[in-house]
Amino acid sequence: MKRKDSKGRILPDGISQRPNGRYQGRITVNGKQYTVSGKELSEVKERFNELKVRINKGLVNENGRVNVESDITLDEWWEIYLSKYKEGV
């Protein structure tokens, strides 16, 4: 039996409604869990589908962030650099 939200709409696989009324989409790939959430079901469906496409194309890194250099700040890059390349030095 399919899950339904508080308005009686059938929810797609991976999407659920929280007790506070917000929606969340959750997917696990290679032991790593990714989650999107939002107030409207249509918003979460769109973001969830976009997340699945990015994961399938390898555009999401281990931090769950989009793996596009223009989307990363210098501070974020610095933290990644220190943790990956300078840890233990």
Side-chain angles (χ1 to χ4, degrees), residues 29-35 51 53-73 76-77 79-81 83-85:
V29 178
N30 296 329
K32 174 72 176 157
Q33 193 171 60
Y34 301 92
T35 305
L51 174 65
V53 167
R54 288 179 177 179
I55 289 170
N56 288 334
K57 289 184 175 182
L59 298 176
V60 178
N61 63 24
E62 64 273 0
N63 298 323
R65 297 180 186 261
V66 176
N67 200 14
V68 178
E69 292 175 8
S70 63
D71 287 345
I72 192 168
T73 67
E76 290 171 327
W77 180 86
E79 291 299 321
I80 292 169
Y81 172 78
S83 66
K84 279 191 172 184
Y85 303 106

Side-chain angles (χ1 to χ4, degrees), residues 9-41:
R9 296 179 289 191
I10 296 175
L11 298 173
D13 290 338
I15 296 180
S16 61
Q17 187 176 32
R18 297 180 190 168
N20 66 1
R22 293 180 58 88
Y23 296 91
Q24 72 177 15
R26 187 178 295 180
I27 187 170
T28 303
V29 178
N30 296 329
K32 174 72 176 157
Q33 193 171 60
Y34 301 92
T35 305
V36 295
S37 62
K39 191 173 185 179
E40 299 294 325
L41 179 58

